[in-house]
mmCIF file of all heavy atoms in Angstrom:
data_model
loop_
_atom_site.group_PDB
_atom_site.id
_atom_site.type_symbol
_atom_site.label_atom_id
_atom_site.label_comp_id
_atom_site.label_asym_id
_atom_site.label_seq_id
_atom_site.Cartn_x
_atom_site.Cartn_y
_atom_site.Cartn_z
ATOM 1 N N VAL Q 43 0.839 -1.197 0.000
ATOM 2 C CA VAL Q 43 0.000 0.000 0.000
ATOM 3 C C VAL Q 43 0.874 1.247 0.000
ATOM 4 O O VAL Q 43 1.983 1.256 0.522
ATOM 5 C CB VAL Q 43 -0.968 0.044 1.208
ATOM 6 C CG1 VAL Q 43 -1.928 -1.119 1.177
ATOM 7 C CG2 VAL Q 43 -0.225 0.067 2.518
ATOM 8 N N ASP Q 44 0.358 2.292 -0.617
ATOM 9 C CA ASP Q 44 0.993 3.611 -0.611
ATOM 10 C C ASP Q 44 0.371 4.391 0.543
ATOM 11 O O ASP Q 44 -0.847 4.520 0.629
ATOM 12 C CB ASP Q 44 0.715 4.291 -1.946
ATOM 13 C CG ASP Q 44 1.359 5.659 -2.085
ATOM 14 O OD1 ASP Q 44 1.858 6.202 -1.080
ATOM 15 O OD2 ASP Q 44 1.360 6.188 -3.206
ATOM 16 N N THR Q 45 1.222 4.905 1.451
ATOM 17 C CA THR Q 45 0.719 5.649 2.606
ATOM 18 C C THR Q 45 1.123 7.121 2.551
ATOM 19 O O THR Q 45 1.085 7.806 3.565
ATOM 20 C CB THR Q 45 1.228 5.036 3.927
ATOM 21 O OG1 THR Q 45 2.647 5.165 3.980
ATOM 22 C CG2 THR Q 45 0.812 3.593 4.065
ATOM 23 N N GLY Q 46 1.524 7.595 1.386
ATOM 24 C CA GLY Q 46 1.941 8.986 1.258
ATOM 25 C C GLY Q 46 3.429 9.081 1.066
ATOM 26 O O GLY Q 46 3.908 9.091 -0.054
ATOM 27 N N ARG Q 47 4.186 9.105 2.137
ATOM 28 C CA ARG Q 47 5.646 9.191 2.042
ATOM 29 C C ARG Q 47 6.305 7.830 1.937
ATOM 30 O O ARG Q 47 7.470 7.741 1.564
ATOM 31 C CB ARG Q 47 6.215 9.910 3.260
ATOM 32 C CG ARG Q 47 5.955 11.387 3.245
ATOM 33 C CD ARG Q 47 6.634 12.107 4.366
ATOM 34 N NE ARG Q 47 8.047 11.719 4.487
ATOM 35 C CZ ARG Q 47 8.740 11.826 5.604
ATOM 36 N NH1 ARG Q 47 8.182 12.283 6.702
ATOM 37 N NH2 ARG Q 47 10.006 11.470 5.636
ATOM 38 N N PHE Q 48 5.588 6.778 2.292
ATOM 39 C CA PHE Q 48 6.177 5.445 2.318
ATOM 40 C C PHE Q 48 5.244 4.427 1.681
ATOM 41 O O PHE Q 48 4.032 4.610 1.636
ATOM 42 C CB PHE Q 48 6.440 4.997 3.764
ATOM 43 C CG PHE Q 48 7.483 5.799 4.465
ATOM 44 C CD1 PHE Q 48 7.136 6.919 5.196
ATOM 45 C CD2 PHE Q 48 8.813 5.437 4.395
ATOM 46 C CE1 PHE Q 48 8.093 7.673 5.843
ATOM 47 C CE2 PHE Q 48 9.789 6.182 5.039
ATOM 48 C CZ PHE Q 48 9.427 7.300 5.766
ATOM 49 N N PHE Q 49 5.853 3.329 1.211
ATOM 50 C CA PHE Q 49 5.111 2.131 0.846
ATOM 51 C C PHE Q 49 5.218 1.188 2.033
ATOM 52 O O PHE Q 49 6.298 1.043 2.613
ATOM 53 C CB PHE Q 49 5.714 1.445 -0.379
ATOM 54 C CG PHE Q 49 5.538 2.214 -1.644
ATOM 55 C CD1 PHE Q 49 6.572 2.979 -2.144
ATOM 56 C CD2 PHE Q 49 4.349 2.182 -2.331
ATOM 57 C CE1 PHE Q 49 6.423 3.693 -3.309
ATOM 58 C CE2 PHE Q 49 4.175 2.893 -3.502
ATOM 59 C CZ PHE Q 49 5.223 3.654 -3.987
ATOM 60 N N ALA Q 50 4.128 0.562 2.397
ATOM 61 C CA ALA Q 50 4.127 -0.453 3.451
ATOM 62 C C ALA Q 50 3.837 -1.795 2.785
ATOM 63 O O ALA Q 50 2.902 -1.908 1.990
ATOM 64 C CB ALA Q 50 3.079 -0.142 4.506
ATOM 65 N N VAL Q 51 4.655 -2.792 3.097
ATOM 66 C CA VAL Q 51 4.517 -4.120 2.517
ATOM 67 C C VAL Q 51 4.268 -5.112 3.644
ATOM 68 O O VAL Q 51 5.067 -5.215 4.571
ATOM 69 C CB VAL Q 51 5.781 -4.529 1.733
ATOM 70 C CG1 VAL Q 51 5.592 -5.888 1.080
ATOM 71 C CG2 VAL Q 51 6.138 -3.470 0.695
ATOM 72 N N LEU Q 52 3.165 -5.815 3.567
ATOM 73 C CA LEU Q 52 2.863 -6.880 4.526
ATOM 74 C C LEU Q 52 3.124 -8.200 3.822
ATOM 75 O O LEU Q 52 2.569 -8.444 2.741
ATOM 76 C CB LEU Q 52 1.411 -6.822 4.989
ATOM 77 C CG LEU Q 52 1.068 -5.730 6.001
ATOM 78 C CD1 LEU Q 52 0.982 -4.380 5.322
ATOM 79 C CD2 LEU Q 52 -0.206 -6.039 6.705
ATOM 80 N N LEU Q 53 3.954 -9.040 4.414
ATOM 81 C CA LEU Q 53 4.298 -10.337 3.850
ATOM 82 C C LEU Q 53 3.794 -11.428 4.782
ATOM 83 O O LEU Q 53 3.850 -11.282 6.004
ATOM 84 C CB LEU Q 53 5.813 -10.460 3.690
ATOM 85 C CG LEU Q 53 6.468 -9.406 2.800
ATOM 86 C CD1 LEU Q 53 7.977 -9.418 2.982
ATOM 87 C CD2 LEU Q 53 6.105 -9.631 1.356
ATOM 88 N N GLY Q 54 3.288 -12.522 4.203
ATOM 89 C CA GLY Q 54 2.795 -13.608 5.039
ATOM 90 C C GLY Q 54 2.129 -14.688 4.226
ATOM 91 O O GLY Q 54 2.453 -14.898 3.061
ATOM 92 N N GLN Q 55 1.168 -15.340 4.841
ATOM 93 C CA GLN Q 55 0.439 -16.431 4.198
ATOM 94 C C GLN Q 55 -1.055 -16.228 4.383
ATOM 95 O O GLN Q 55 -1.503 -15.849 5.464
ATOM 96 C CB GLN Q 55 0.847 -17.766 4.807
ATOM 97 C CG GLN Q 55 2.300 -18.100 4.630
ATOM 98 C CD GLN Q 55 2.693 -19.360 5.389
ATOM 99 O OE1 GLN Q 55 1.911 -19.904 6.175
ATOM 100 N NE2 GLN Q 55 3.898 -19.827 5.165
ATOM 101 N N GLY Q 56 -1.811 -16.476 3.327
ATOM 102 C CA GLY Q 56 -3.262 -16.375 3.401
ATOM 103 C C GLY Q 56 -3.757 -14.971 3.705
ATOM 104 O O GLY Q 56 -4.776 -14.812 4.376
ATOM 105 N N LEU Q 57 -3.049 -13.953 3.216
ATOM 106 C CA LEU Q 57 -3.442 -12.571 3.495
ATOM 107 C C LEU Q 57 -4.654 -12.167 2.665
ATOM 108 O O LEU Q 57 -4.760 -12.514 1.487
ATOM 109 C CB LEU Q 57 -2.279 -11.617 3.190
ATOM 110 C CG LEU Q 57 -0.992 -11.844 3.964
ATOM 111 C CD1 LEU Q 57 0.079 -10.842 3.517
ATOM 112 C CD2 LEU Q 57 -1.231 -11.749 5.458
ATOM 113 N N SER Q 58 -5.553 -11.446 3.276
ATOM 114 C CA SER Q 58 -6.711 -10.908 2.556
ATOM 115 C C SER Q 58 -7.143 -9.603 3.217
ATOM 116 O O SER Q 58 -6.922 -9.396 4.410
ATOM 117 C CB SER Q 58 -7.876 -11.901 2.540
ATOM 118 O OG SER Q 58 -8.355 -12.123 3.846
ATOM 119 N N ILE Q 59 -7.746 -8.746 2.423
ATOM 120 C CA ILE Q 59 -8.255 -7.474 2.928
ATOM 121 C C ILE Q 59 -9.715 -7.684 3.301
ATOM 122 O O ILE Q 59 -10.536 -8.000 2.449
ATOM 123 C CB ILE Q 59 -8.110 -6.358 1.881
ATOM 124 C CG1 ILE Q 59 -6.634 -6.150 1.553
ATOM 125 C CG2 ILE Q 59 -8.749 -5.062 2.377
ATOM 126 C CD1 ILE Q 59 -6.382 -5.196 0.405
ATOM 127 N N ASP Q 60 -10.021 -7.537 4.574
ATOM 128 C CA ASP Q 60 -11.388 -7.731 5.045
ATOM 129 C C ASP Q 60 -12.215 -6.458 4.938
ATOM 130 O O ASP Q 60 -13.424 -6.510 4.743
ATOM 131 C CB ASP Q 60 -11.395 -8.212 6.495
ATOM 132 C CG ASP Q 60 -10.817 -9.610 6.633
ATOM 133 O OD1 ASP Q 60 -10.736 -10.335 5.624
ATOM 134 O OD2 ASP Q 60 -10.424 -9.975 7.756
ATOM 135 N N ARG Q 61 -11.552 -5.308 5.089
ATOM 136 C CA ARG Q 61 -12.281 -4.040 5.049
ATOM 137 C C ARG Q 61 -11.316 -2.935 4.632
ATOM 138 O O ARG Q 61 -10.174 -2.903 5.062
ATOM 139 C CB ARG Q 61 -12.872 -3.729 6.410
ATOM 140 C CG ARG Q 61 -13.602 -2.406 6.471
ATOM 141 C CD ARG Q 61 -14.252 -2.210 7.786
ATOM 142 N NE ARG Q 61 -15.523 -2.934 7.734
ATOM 143 C CZ ARG Q 61 -16.316 -3.105 8.756
ATOM 144 N NH1 ARG Q 61 -15.985 -2.639 9.934
ATOM 145 N NH2 ARG Q 61 -17.458 -3.744 8.639
ATOM 146 N N LEU Q 62 -11.792 -2.007 3.803
ATOM 147 C CA LEU Q 62 -11.009 -0.856 3.383
ATOM 148 C C LEU Q 62 -11.945 0.341 3.331
ATOM 149 O O LEU Q 62 -12.875 0.370 2.535
ATOM 150 C CB LEU Q 62 -10.378 -1.095 2.011
ATOM 151 C CG LEU Q 62 -9.581 0.042 1.406
ATOM 152 C CD1 LEU Q 62 -8.375 0.383 2.269
ATOM 153 C CD2 LEU Q 62 -9.128 -0.323 -0.002
ATOM 154 N N GLU Q 63 -11.706 1.302 4.230
ATOM 155 C CA GLU Q 63 -12.551 2.489 4.260
ATOM 156 C C GLU Q 63 -11.825 3.630 4.956
ATOM 157 O O GLU Q 63 -11.083 3.416 5.914
ATOM 158 C CB GLU Q 63 -13.885 2.211 4.951
ATOM 159 C CG GLU Q 63 -13.766 1.739 6.368
ATOM 160 C CD GLU Q 63 -15.093 1.326 6.977
ATOM 161 O OE1 GLU Q 63 -15.950 0.771 6.255
ATOM 162 O OE2 GLU Q 63 -15.267 1.564 8.173
ATOM 163 N N GLU Q 64 -12.007 4.831 4.458
ATOM 164 C CA GLU Q 64 -11.469 6.054 5.061
ATOM 165 C C GLU Q 64 -10.009 5.931 5.468
ATOM 166 O O GLU Q 64 -9.639 6.193 6.601
ATOM 167 C CB GLU Q 64 -12.337 6.475 6.248
ATOM 168 C CG GLU Q 64 -13.752 6.807 5.840
ATOM 169 C CD GLU Q 64 -14.601 7.261 7.012
ATOM 170 O OE1 GLU Q 64 -14.034 7.622 8.056
ATOM 171 O OE2 GLU Q 64 -15.831 7.264 6.868
ATOM 172 N N GLU Q 65 -9.163 5.511 4.535
ATOM 173 C CA GLU Q 65 -7.716 5.401 4.726
ATOM 174 C C GLU Q 65 -7.308 4.383 5.787
ATOM 175 O O GLU Q 65 -6.209 4.421 6.315
ATOM 176 C CB GLU Q 65 -7.077 6.766 5.010
ATOM 177 C CG GLU Q 65 -7.199 7.722 3.855
ATOM 178 C CD GLU Q 65 -6.380 8.984 4.034
ATOM 179 O OE1 GLU Q 65 -5.725 9.151 5.075
ATOM 180 O OE2 GLU Q 65 -6.390 9.804 3.115
ATOM 181 N N ARG Q 66 -8.172 3.443 6.093
ATOM 182 C CA ARG Q 66 -7.869 2.377 7.047
ATOM 183 C C ARG Q 66 -8.198 1.033 6.406
ATOM 184 O O ARG Q 66 -9.239 0.876 5.771
ATOM 185 C CB ARG Q 66 -8.672 2.549 8.322
ATOM 186 C CG ARG Q 66 -8.464 1.422 9.318
ATOM 187 C CD ARG Q 66 -9.083 1.716 10.624
ATOM 188 N NE ARG Q 66 -8.137 2.552 11.355
ATOM 189 C CZ ARG Q 66 -8.303 2.939 12.602
ATOM 190 N NH1 ARG Q 66 -9.373 2.594 13.259
ATOM 191 N NH2 ARG Q 66 -7.402 3.682 13.207
ATOM 192 N N MET Q 67 -7.307 0.064 6.603
ATOM 193 C CA MET Q 67 -7.475 -1.245 5.996
ATOM 194 C C MET Q 67 -7.323 -2.311 7.073
ATOM 195 O O MET Q 67 -6.408 -2.256 7.897
ATOM 196 C CB MET Q 67 -6.391 -1.427 4.921
ATOM 197 C CG MET Q 67 -6.393 -2.755 4.239
ATOM 198 S SD MET Q 67 -5.190 -2.827 2.880
ATOM 199 C CE MET Q 67 -3.650 -2.793 3.784
ATOM 200 N N LEU Q 68 -8.219 -3.281 7.065
ATOM 201 C CA LEU Q 68 -8.175 -4.411 7.984
ATOM 202 C C LEU Q 68 -7.732 -5.639 7.190
ATOM 203 O O LEU Q 68 -8.366 -5.996 6.190
ATOM 204 C CB LEU Q 68 -9.553 -4.646 8.606
ATOM 205 C CG LEU Q 68 -9.684 -5.794 9.581
ATOM 206 C CD1 LEU Q 68 -8.838 -5.527 10.823
ATOM 207 C CD2 LEU Q 68 -11.136 -5.997 9.967
ATOM 208 N N VAL Q 69 -6.630 -6.246 7.617
ATOM 209 C CA VAL Q 69 -6.037 -7.389 6.920
ATOM 210 C C VAL Q 69 -6.100 -8.606 7.836
ATOM 211 O O VAL Q 69 -5.841 -8.504 9.037
ATOM 212 C CB VAL Q 69 -4.561 -7.095 6.559
ATOM 213 C CG1 VAL Q 69 -3.906 -8.309 5.922
ATOM 214 C CG2 VAL Q 69 -4.468 -5.892 5.639
ATOM 215 N N SER Q 70 -6.440 -9.762 7.253
ATOM 216 C CA SER Q 70 -6.394 -10.999 8.029
ATOM 217 C C SER Q 70 -5.446 -11.974 7.348
ATOM 218 O O SER Q 70 -5.161 -11.855 6.160
ATOM 219 C CB SER Q 70 -7.794 -11.611 8.182
ATOM 220 O OG SER Q 70 -8.295 -11.985 6.928
ATOM 221 N N GLY Q 71 -4.962 -12.927 8.113
ATOM 222 C CA GLY Q 71 -4.016 -13.918 7.620
ATOM 223 C C GLY Q 71 -2.813 -13.968 8.539
ATOM 224 O O GLY Q 71 -2.750 -13.289 9.563
ATOM 225 N N LYS Q 72 -1.831 -14.767 8.163
ATOM 226 C CA LYS Q 72 -0.610 -14.914 8.962
ATOM 227 C C LYS Q 72 0.400 -13.864 8.498
ATOM 228 O O LYS Q 72 1.084 -14.041 7.489
ATOM 229 C CB LYS Q 72 -0.048 -16.318 8.804
ATOM 230 C CG LYS Q 72 1.146 -16.592 9.686
ATOM 231 C CD LYS Q 72 1.599 -18.036 9.551
ATOM 232 C CE LYS Q 72 2.777 -18.282 10.489
ATOM 233 N NZ LYS Q 72 3.254 -19.659 10.322
ATOM 234 N N ILE Q 73 0.492 -12.743 9.225
ATOM 235 C CA ILE Q 73 1.420 -11.669 8.884
ATOM 236 C C ILE Q 73 2.774 -12.020 9.496
ATOM 237 O O ILE Q 73 2.916 -12.093 10.717
ATOM 238 C CB ILE Q 73 0.919 -10.308 9.401
ATOM 239 C CG1 ILE Q 73 -0.439 -9.983 8.763
ATOM 240 C CG2 ILE Q 73 1.936 -9.211 9.111
ATOM 241 C CD1 ILE Q 73 -1.137 -8.780 9.373
ATOM 242 N N GLN Q 74 3.770 -12.254 8.636
ATOM 243 C CA GLN Q 74 5.082 -12.696 9.094
ATOM 244 C C GLN Q 74 6.129 -11.588 9.077
ATOM 245 O O GLN Q 74 7.111 -11.659 9.813
ATOM 246 C CB GLN Q 74 5.562 -13.860 8.224
ATOM 247 C CG GLN Q 74 4.660 -15.071 8.342
ATOM 248 C CD GLN Q 74 4.998 -16.128 7.328
ATOM 249 O OE1 GLN Q 74 5.134 -15.842 6.147
ATOM 250 N NE2 GLN Q 74 5.128 -17.362 7.784
ATOM 251 N N GLN Q 75 5.925 -10.593 8.224
ATOM 252 C CA GLN Q 75 6.938 -9.553 8.084
ATOM 253 C C GLN Q 75 6.287 -8.272 7.569
ATOM 254 O O GLN Q 75 5.339 -8.324 6.786
ATOM 255 C CB GLN Q 75 7.998 -10.029 7.094
ATOM 256 C CG GLN Q 75 9.188 -9.144 6.948
ATOM 257 C CD GLN Q 75 10.243 -9.796 6.056
ATOM 258 O OE1 GLN Q 75 10.279 -11.014 5.880
ATOM 259 N NE2 GLN Q 75 11.102 -8.978 5.490
ATOM 260 N N ILE Q 76 6.825 -7.130 8.008
ATOM 261 C CA ILE Q 76 6.369 -5.829 7.530
ATOM 262 C C ILE Q 76 7.596 -5.053 7.077
ATOM 263 O O ILE Q 76 8.599 -4.998 7.798
ATOM 264 C CB ILE Q 76 5.630 -5.047 8.629
ATOM 265 C CG1 ILE Q 76 4.397 -5.824 9.093
ATOM 266 C CG2 ILE Q 76 5.224 -3.660 8.129
ATOM 267 C CD1 ILE Q 76 3.731 -5.260 10.321
ATOM 268 N N GLU Q 77 7.530 -4.479 5.875
ATOM 269 C CA GLU Q 77 8.640 -3.698 5.335
ATOM 270 C C GLU Q 77 8.128 -2.321 4.945
ATOM 271 O O GLU Q 77 6.964 -2.162 4.570
ATOM 272 C CB GLU Q 77 9.237 -4.386 4.110
ATOM 273 C CG GLU Q 77 9.807 -5.757 4.396
ATOM 274 C CD GLU Q 77 10.286 -6.488 3.150
ATOM 275 O OE1 GLU Q 77 10.067 -5.987 2.020
ATOM 276 O OE2 GLU Q 77 10.883 -7.562 3.304
ATOM 277 N N PHE Q 78 9.021 -1.329 5.010
ATOM 278 C CA PHE Q 78 8.689 0.028 4.607
ATOM 279 C C PHE Q 78 9.712 0.509 3.589
ATOM 280 O O PHE Q 78 10.909 0.266 3.749
ATOM 281 C CB PHE Q 78 8.701 0.981 5.813
ATOM 282 C CG PHE Q 78 7.718 0.608 6.874
ATOM 283 C CD1 PHE Q 78 8.122 -0.085 7.998
ATOM 284 C CD2 PHE Q 78 6.374 0.930 6.741
ATOM 285 C CE1 PHE Q 78 7.221 -0.433 8.981
ATOM 286 C CE2 PHE Q 78 5.463 0.578 7.716
ATOM 287 C CZ PHE Q 78 5.891 -0.105 8.837
ATOM 288 N N TYR Q 79 9.238 1.176 2.551
ATOM 289 C CA TYR Q 79 10.095 1.754 1.520
ATOM 290 C C TYR Q 79 9.694 3.201 1.318
ATOM 291 O O TYR Q 79 8.510 3.498 1.204
ATOM 292 C CB TYR Q 79 9.953 0.981 0.204
ATOM 293 C CG TYR Q 79 10.374 -0.458 0.326
ATOM 294 C CD1 TYR Q 79 9.436 -1.448 0.570
ATOM 295 C CD2 TYR Q 79 11.709 -0.812 0.222
ATOM 296 C CE1 TYR Q 79 9.824 -2.776 0.701
ATOM 297 C CE2 TYR Q 79 12.102 -2.140 0.350
ATOM 298 C CZ TYR Q 79 11.146 -3.111 0.586
ATOM 299 O OH TYR Q 79 11.536 -4.420 0.726
ATOM 300 N N GLU Q 80 10.682 4.065 1.256
ATOM 301 C CA GLU Q 80 10.385 5.477 1.042
ATOM 302 C C GLU Q 80 9.903 5.668 -0.385
ATOM 303 O O GLU Q 80 10.439 5.093 -1.326
ATOM 304 C CB GLU Q 80 11.622 6.333 1.302
ATOM 305 C CG GLU Q 80 11.279 7.785 1.447
ATOM 306 C CD GLU Q 80 12.392 8.584 2.084
ATOM 307 O OE1 GLU Q 80 13.427 8.007 2.436
ATOM 308 O OE2 GLU Q 80 12.198 9.792 2.221
#
């Protein structure tokens, strides 16, 4: 996802977006790693 100044990357297994509204996202699944890129 693009968050403005950074990209946020969620890595894992069985990831899915359950809800996306008003700049907020709810993700389910096995989140194993989070990375940020400018």
Side-chain angles (χ1 to χ4, degrees):
V43 298
D44 182 349
T45 64
R47 287 186 48 204
F48 294 91
F49 291 100
V51 183
L52 284 76
L53 301 166
Q55 298 173 352
L57 301 178
S58 65
I59 298 173
D60 293 341
R61 178 175 278 173
L62 177 63
E63 59 186 35
E64 298 182 17
E65 296 189 358
R66 176 171 277 185
M67 178 174 69
L68 180 65
V69 176
S70 64
K72 185 176 182 182
I73 299 170
Q74 297 171 311
Q75 186 174 338
I76 299 170
E77 299 175 353
F78 300 99
Y79 298 95
E80 195 164 359

